[in-house]
């Protein structure tokens, strides 16, 4: 799951567009990493199934400038975290830095109906 090119084109506001663009790019990078890891493990382990994989990418987003020129615009840090399951399904979640690990686990669990 990741934003489609249509989603990227139909965003409202530069911050939202920047966030979705980085989320999409993070999903692609993580997917490529999963593919390389799976190919490597499959060749090393004589075609045994690959266990779950998880990887994350951090990026920053600067909010629009405030009316007060003396104040620096806030910088927000986000994580894109991807998980590849043994059956080959992948899921990506975008969370602000500092969100508890339990919320991330809830997102992965809730999406696949395991609760």
């Amino acid at each position: 799951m990741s934003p489609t090119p249509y989603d990227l084109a139909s965003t409202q506001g530069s911050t939202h567009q920047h966030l979705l663009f980085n989320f999409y790019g993070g999903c692609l990078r993580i997917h490529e990493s999963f593919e390389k890891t799976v190919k490597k493990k499959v060749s090393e382990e004589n075609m045994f199934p690959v266990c779950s994989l998880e990887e994350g990418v951090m990026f920053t987003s600067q909010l629009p400038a405030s009316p007060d020129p003396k104040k620096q615009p806030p910088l927000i840090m986000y994580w894109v975290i991807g998980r590849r399951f043994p059956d080959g399904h992948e899921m990506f979640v975008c969370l602000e830095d500092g969100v508890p690990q339990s919320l991330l686990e809830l997102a992965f669990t809730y999406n696949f109906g395991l609760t």
Side-chain angles (χ1 to χ4, degrees), residues 54-70:
E54 185 173 317
E55 189 168 321
V57 177
M58 182 182 239
F59 65 91
T60 59
S61 180
Q62 193 159 14
L63 295 177
S66 67
D68 185 1
K70 294 179 183 178

Side-chain angles (χ1 to χ4, degrees), residues 9 18 22-24 26-27 29 34-36 41 43 46-47 53 56 60 62 64 66 69-70 78 83 88 100 108 115:
H18 181 70
N22 283 326
F23 178 50
Y24 184 69
C27 292
R29 277 178 268 170
F34 287 161
E35 291 299 310
K36 288 178 186 176
K41 285 191 177 197
S43 65
N46 292 328
M47 304 299 280
L53 301 170
T60 59
Q62 193 159 14
S66 67
K70 294 179 183 178
Y78 288 92
R83 194 175 280 181
F108 283 122
T115 57

Side-chain angles (χ1 to χ4, degrees), residues 7-35:
D7 293 331
L8 295 174
S10 64
T11 60
Q12 298 175 1
S14 63
T15 303
H16 188 238
Q17 186 175 17
H18 181 70
L19 176 69
L20 281 178
F21 179 78
N22 283 326
F23 178 50
Y24 184 69
C27 292
L28 291 177
R29 277 178 268 170
I30 294 170
H31 173 74
E32 288 173 8
S33 176
F34 287 161
E35 291 299 310

Side-chain angles (χ1 to χ4, degrees), residues 33-52:
S33 176
F34 287 161
E35 291 299 310
K36 288 178 186 176
T37 302
V38 167
K39 286 180 184 177
K40 183 178 177 184
K41 285 191 177 197
V42 166
S43 65
E44 289 175 356
E45 298 175 7
N46 292 328
M47 304 299 280
F48 286 110
V50 177
C51 59
S52 294

